[in-house]
Amino acid sequence: MRICHRTHQGLVRASNQDSLLVDEGVMGVADGMGGHNGGETASRVAVQVLKNALRGKKPEPRALEVGMEAANRRIFDMSRHDSALSGMGTTTTLLWENGTEVLICHVGDSRAYLLRDGELKQITEDHSVVAELLRGGVITPDMARTHPYRNVITRAVGVDPMVTADIFSHDLKEGDVWMICSDGLYNMVPDESIAEILREAKDDETAAEELLAFALEAGGTDNITFVIGRATEVSAV
């Protein structure tokens, strides 16, 4: 995959608690929570542990499961032994490709999107209170945008002794454009605008600049982080 990425503090937050994961076929985003120090630490540690756990290995679900468990355990133990980090955690969403398909590992409300044949689809399901209400038909998408619990997530890395990640595979097609992003992007940029920018920008670097500019112009109320990966060549099965 050809990859480009951006991360920005935004216009309101005092620090950037997002971290990027880009390494040897892996791309992902971690969005930390738990205060200035806690959020930054949690997302950074998750990325470091996962990078070390996956480097040199062939993509397979068990490796992702073990890596996520290790990241969760490390963050949870750090928060127990340092009161300044108490309660910290992080979302973590990553994609690991092997030339014919991608493995996706997901905890929290960062998202993986796929633009294929001009159509944008959200591939992951948010682990959040609002997403559960939406899936249950309790609220509408319009209600979700302003719901008072829209930022409350139901699953995060490092908050509990154990974590369950959504791990699944997806086929890979030449020309696919994958994007993993924190909520600081998709809360500011509607899916329709994400799709339009990814479709119509002259290249992915231009698309990244336009997405970031859109999010900032819309208010930039959170940290903004995303990775774009374009499948330029797909191996034969």
Side-chain angles (χ1 to χ4, degrees):
M1 277 196 189
R2 186 172 64 237
I3 291 175
C4 66
H5 50 82
R6 297 289 187 277
T7 186
H8 195 286
Q9 182 174 319
L11 303 177
V12 175
R13 300 288 187 179
S15 63
N16 190 348
Q17 298 181 39
D18 291 353
S19 295
L20 281 160
L21 172 54
V22 178
D23 187 61
E24 295 180 5
V26 182
M27 59 182 246
V29 168
D31 179 355
M33 61 185 205
H36 175 84
N37 291 330
E40 286 185 8
T41 301
S43 67
R44 174 177 51 80
V45 169
V47 164
Q48 288 176 341
V49 172
L50 283 162
K51 186 181 291 187
N52 292 337
L54 303 182
R55 183 172 286 172
K57 292 184 173 64
K58 293 182 178 180
E60 55 95 13
R62 180 57 182 161
L64 281 172
E65 186 178 351
V66 170
M68 191 65 81
E69 289 171 353
N72 187 80
R73 185 166 56 250
R74 177 76 181 278
I75 294 167
F76 182 74
D77 287 347
M78 290 175 69
S79 69
R80 285 197 307 160
H81 292 100
D82 186 343
S83 60
L85 302 177
S86 179
M88 71 175 177
T90 183
T91 72
T92 306
T93 302
L94 64 87
L95 177 154
W96 195 10
E97 61 101 1
N98 65 5
T100 61
E101 66 176 5
V102 296
L103 283 174
I104 295 165
C105 184
H106 169 65
V107 177
D109 67 348
S110 293
R111 290 179 178 175
Y113 287 95
L114 169 61
L115 182 77
R116 173 176 287 181
D117 300 328
E119 297 296 323
L120 185 74
K121 181 180 180 182
Q122 181 182 336
I123 301 300
T124 52
E125 289 190 346
D126 298 346
H127 299 144
S128 68
V129 170
V130 163
E132 291 184 359
L133 294 174
L134 271 171
R135 288 191 286 268
V138 178
I139 61 174
T140 66
D142 283 341
M143 293 167 66
R145 293 187 184 97
T146 57
H147 197 282
Y149 293 157
R150 63 187 179 278
N151 296 321
V152 179
I153 61 176
T154 56
R155 208 185 302 179
V157 180
V159 174
D160 296 308
M162 300 292 292
V163 68
T164 300
D166 294 344
I167 299 175
F168 56 95
S169 62
H170 197 288
D171 67 301
L172 188 62
K173 179 180 176 181
E174 188 171 337
D176 281 351
V177 180
W178 288 87
M179 185 180 74
I180 300 178
C181 64
S182 63
D183 61 346
L185 180 73
Y186 69 73
N187 281 337
M188 296 288 100
V189 187
D191 285 6
E192 296 80 8
S193 298
I194 292 174
E196 182 180 1
I197 290 169
L198 291 176
R199 276 196 307 263
E200 298 186 6
K202 65 178 182 179
D203 54 44
D204 296 332
E205 288 289 342
T206 302
E209 287 300 312
E210 291 180 2
L211 286 167
L212 179 58
F214 194 126
L216 292 172
E217 288 169 8
T221 58
D222 201 348
N223 307 145
I224 304 157
T225 302
F226 58 92
V227 190
I228 299 170
R230 180 178 293 272
T232 56
E233 183 177 345
V234 177
S235 303
V237 177

